[in-house]
Amino acid sequence: MRLPICLFLSVLVFGAVNAQEKATLSFPKTTAFLPRNWIEAPILAEIEPISPDLVEEAGEIIAVALGKYPSEIRERYLKGVHIVGSLRFHDVGYGGTYLANGKQIVLVYREFFDRQGFEQRFHHEFSSLLLKQNQRSFEEERWLEANDPEFQYRAGGVIEEQEGERSEATRVLAAEQKKTGGSGSSLLQLDPELMKQGFLTPYNRVSIEQDFNETAAHLFANPDLWGFCEKYPRIDHKVDVLIDFYRRLDKRLDRLYFRRLTENAISAKP
């Protein structure tokens, strides 16, 4: 299967994923790869394996996503990516999650998913791993300056604080799924009215961590982000803070670098 030109170009940014990194990619058929307490009550994690005919395609997309990071970051902060066909915790469907202690990511890929959205989910989850391991490099007060002084996230802390059995993100997702009868993907829909307030999507308003995650997802994989930055100063402010975070991890990850990622994607359009 040939990669689209835009995907091929992005792989070349820092070089193709090596054989050792490819070995970290898995397509589990059971929950055995998850922590034991995730499988037990009250979490009761469940998965369905990815369809065999989607394995190659999903692997290609993740290789592209990994290629956007220097190998030093990939090797230091990420030990595994597990791709499944469905994922549930607390009887709530998820598109992805991360295992902080194991430096691993779990992603869902299905036949009706689009490539950009799936790649964005990877960057969303990986940004949490990076944030948890480098929280001192994140300027919380500067980030909050982009929000209205009266605004408060639904969950406190930079890394989303959890009260009780469910995180606030899980509660929000569960409520949306119950309300719409769908996956809750509407929470990730871009909203121009929210952008005026500094939030790309409704999900960004859950916590600093989710706000950081979704902004990172679009920074790495959405060419339209720069137009949002030009139109909405609060979004541009957060993108600046986010890029400075990545630049502290590797000085090559500056604003020009991310703009070039966008140029590659734009130049490949028909």
Side-chain angles (χ1 to χ4, degrees), residues 46 73 96 142 174 177 221 239 250 269:
E46 299 177 359
I73 288 180
R142 186 175 158 215
Q177 290 178 1
V239 168
D250 190 297
K269 290 182 178 180

Side-chain angles (χ1 to χ4, degrees), residues 85-102:
S86 71
L87 175 68
R88 296 184 72 82
F89 300 119
H90 297 289
D91 200 31
V92 177
Y94 272 79
T97 189
Y98 65 93
L99 288 69
N101 293 336

Side-chain angles (χ1 to χ4, degrees), residues 15 19 45 69 83 98 121 124 127 139 147 202 204 217 227 237 254 269:
Y69 299 84
I83 304 178
Y98 65 93
R121 176 56 55 181
H124 176 116
S127 71
E139 299 172 280
N147 297 340
N204 288 65
H237 180 103
D254 57 15
K269 290 182 178 180

Side-chain angles (χ1 to χ4, degrees), residues 5-231:
I5 294 175
C6 61
L7 300 183
F8 178 71
L9 287 172
S10 62
V11 171
L12 296 181
V13 173
F14 283 111
V17 178
N18 61 38
Q20 181 178 356
E21 290 174 303
K22 287 180 180 177
T24 67
L25 184 61
S26 74
F27 303 89
K29 296 182 178 181
T30 72
T31 57
F33 71 101
L34 294 173
R36 179 175 297 180
N37 66 308
W38 286 26
I39 302 171
E40 299 171 346
I43 299 176
L44 296 174
E46 299 177 359
I47 72 155
E48 292 179 1
I50 185 175
S51 174
D53 59 351
L54 295 177
V55 167
E56 181 181 1
E57 182 174 278
E60 288 178 349
I61 298 170
I62 296 305
V64 168
L66 287 168
K68 295 182 179 182
Y69 299 84
S71 60
E72 295 85 355
I73 288 180
R74 302 186 316 234
E75 293 168 5
R76 182 173 181 180
Y77 298 112
L78 183 63
K79 301 303 181 185
V81 181
H82 310 283
I83 304 178
V84 297
S86 71
L87 175 68
R88 296 184 72 82
F89 300 119
H90 297 289
D91 200 31
V92 177
Y94 272 79
T97 189
Y98 65 93
L99 288 69
N101 293 336
K103 301 181 182 179
Q104 299 174 67
I105 292 172
V106 187
L107 300 172
V108 173
Y109 191 62
R110 308 191 76 169
E111 63 277 359
F112 53 84
F113 284 14
D114 66 84
R115 284 176 174 264
Q116 179 176 310
F118 181 56
E119 184 188 339
Q120 285 180 297
R121 176 56 55 181
F122 170 84
H123 298 298
H124 176 116
E125 301 301 342
F126 193 24
S127 71
S128 269
L129 286 181
L130 294 173
L131 182 60
K132 287 185 76 74
Q133 297 172 78
N134 299 278
Q135 192 170 330
R136 291 184 179 180
S137 295
F138 175 67
E139 299 172 280
E140 177 184 0
E141 291 185 7
R142 186 175 158 215
W143 182 274
L144 293 174
E145 288 172 2
N147 297 340
D148 186 287
E150 301 300 316
F151 172 80
Q152 288 189 337
Y153 291 100
R154 294 182 56 142
V158 173
I159 304 300
E160 185 177 332
E161 296 175 355
Q162 182 169 336
E163 296 182 5
E165 296 177 354
R166 295 187 175 193
S167 68
E168 189 61 31
T170 299
R171 294 188 181 95
V172 170
L173 187 57
E176 185 68 13
Q177 290 178 1
K178 183 177 181 180
K179 176 182 176 182
T180 64
S183 66
S185 59
S186 56
L187 291 170
L188 299 179
Q189 290 181 356
L190 293 165
D191 187 330
E193 289 302 313
L194 287 181
M195 290 184 203
K196 296 176 184 178
Q197 305 169 37
F199 307 100
L200 290 170
T201 75
Y203 208 53
N204 288 65
R205 295 166 59 87
V206 172
S207 64
I208 293 178
E209 181 179 2
Q210 300 298 340
D211 199 4
F212 180 93
N213 294 157
E214 271 306 290
T215 307
H218 288 273
L219 177 64
F220 276 92
N222 186 0
D224 295 331
L225 180 64
W226 305 109
F228 303 151
C229 288
E230 292 175 5
K231 191 172 183 179

